[in-house]
Amino acid sequence: MKHFKSVKKILIWAIVAVLALLLVACGGSKTEGTKTEGSSSTQTGQKSSGPAKITVAGVVFQEDQFMKLLQKGYQDAAKAAGVECLVSNTNNDQAKETELINTYVAQKVSGLAIAPLSADASVAALKKADEQGMKIAVSNINLNNAPFIVGGYTSDNKELGRRTGQEAVKFIQEKLGGKAKIAIIQFKSLLPEQSGDRTSGFLEEVKKLPGVEIVADQDAWLQDKAVQVAGDIITAHPDVNIIWAANEGGTIGATMAVQNAGKAGKIFTFGTDASEQLVAMLKDPANILQAVTGQDPYTMGYKTMETLIKAIKGEDVSSTKGKCITVPGVVLSRANPDGIAKFEADLKAKMGK
């Protein structure tokens, strides 16, 4: 009996020992599991967040097709890089531009691609944003004293005016006997630097003809206003036979004013920028609009945003730092329908039509 009790006691102690070992093993497994879980959790966290999320902003200043294409360039470049892109419009308001810049700084947006309103007045707010850690890239303008920008893409505004001027010179020589009374419609009270460069480029070319006289020079960059201003010019100067406008809205408005005045075939228009509506006017049998020099806003926007994102990611942007690269423009002339057709097809592709 005693022997049985001893055996029983030994078995009990053996069971206790085994249970103790199991508990230790479970405890060890539990501790190891916590570490793995923690490690797995950390890894999962890293996997889900990946590299730090990048948010950028793309800002334009009007609702015309040029600015819509510029903005689309911003968005497509950001999408290609897997970056979130906020977009907004300053609506030609310098105070709103500053407010937007400050808002994006407060929201800790990583970078800003912007078409600034002024080569001078826009610099202070952009410089302050740069000093607070936001990368800056610009489109459609050469800023004065802005070495802090990571890069930018714009047009040569004087060249845009000059190339349209060359088309006007050929037309005046071939169709008007070398003589013309020309009215100018520009936007110097909105963007004096750009407007001035385009106008001076155009005038340098047409003034090479001794038979050219400038009879009017007024501001009107929005379509409705340009219709009115050009109409007033036609009334005040019934002998005017060419109107040149420095931007899309002015060109469209001037062409419509000629049509409204019943002067098709007597007054001819030339302009700057290129859009679906201007292409339609170049193809219109009314034969009013003769030629425009268009910019490439989509490429301008795409390259600006692409450079901005590279800078944010720490890639080398030394080739563009503090600079604006010129994006060539394109001449669209009624005399070259194939060129118009090619441009129209490319434009529709970019607009997703």
Side-chain angles (χ1 to χ4, degrees), residues 172-173 176-181 209-213 241-242:
I172 293 166
Q173 289 174 322
L176 302 178
K179 296 181 180 180
K181 292 186 183 293
L209 296 178
V212 163
E213 180 186 352
N241 52 5
I242 284 183

Side-chain angles (χ1 to χ4, degrees), residues 159-207:
E159 185 65 15
L160 292 176
R162 180 179 288 116
R163 293 182 73 183
T164 311
Q166 290 167 352
E167 292 296 314
V169 166
K170 284 191 284 186
F171 183 86
I172 293 166
Q173 289 174 322
E174 295 171 8
K175 306 292 185 181
L176 302 178
K179 296 181 180 180
K181 292 186 183 293
I182 301 176
I184 305 294
I185 295 179
Q186 54 173 310
F187 54 100
K188 58 188 173 184
S189 57
L190 173 66
L191 297 170
E193 301 95 347
Q194 289 184 30
S195 182
D197 284 347
R198 293 180 185 185
T199 302
S200 65
F202 177 79
L203 291 176
E204 282 179 12
E205 293 299 322
V206 296
K207 283 186 175 180

Side-chain angles (χ1 to χ4, degrees), residues 30-85:
K30 186 176 180 181
T31 303
E32 191 64 32
T34 301
K35 286 181 180 177
T36 303
E37 206 171 87
S39 175
S40 174
S41 174
T42 302
Q43 289 172 358
T44 303
Q46 289 174 344
K47 186 177 180 181
S48 62
S49 62
K53 181 182 177 182
I54 296 174
T55 301
V56 295
V59 176
V60 297
F61 61 75
Q62 280 183 178
E63 289 290 345
D64 59 11
Q65 191 171 77
F66 175 91
M67 287 293 163
K68 287 177 181 176
L69 280 165
L70 183 71
Q71 190 173 77
K72 190 165 193 306
Y74 289 158
Q75 292 172 304
D76 285 357
K79 183 178 180 180
V83 169
E84 181 183 2
C85 182

Side-chain angles (χ1 to χ4, degrees), residues 10 49 54-55 77 114 131 141 176 179 214 237 244 246 279 285 293 313 316 332 346 352-353:
I10 289 168
S49 62
I54 296 174
T55 301
I114 183 171
E131 290 169 349
I141 197 170
L176 302 178
K179 296 181 180 180
I214 308 303
H237 302 277
W244 171 80
V279 165
T293 301
K313 291 181 174 180
D316 181 20
L332 300 178
D346 182 61
K353 294 183 178 181

Side-chain angles (χ1 to χ4, degrees), residues 237-306:
H237 302 277
D239 55 351
V240 67
N241 52 5
I242 284 183
I243 303 175
W244 171 80
N247 80 322
E248 179 187 348
T251 305
I252 292 170
T255 304
M256 291 175 67
V258 172
Q259 184 80 60
N260 294 345
K263 296 285 188 175
K266 295 181 180 179
I267 301 175
F268 306 92
T269 59
F270 292 80
T272 316
D273 292 334
S275 66
E276 287 178 303
Q277 193 168 355
L278 287 172
V279 165
M281 287 178 164
L282 284 169
K283 294 162 64 178
D284 189 339
N287 193 34
I288 299 171
L289 182 61
Q290 300 301 309
V292 297
T293 301
Q295 303 178 78
D296 187 352
Y298 180 86
T299 298
M300 216 180 285
Y302 197 101
K303 289 287 189 181
T304 300
M305 182 59 76
E306 189 176 55

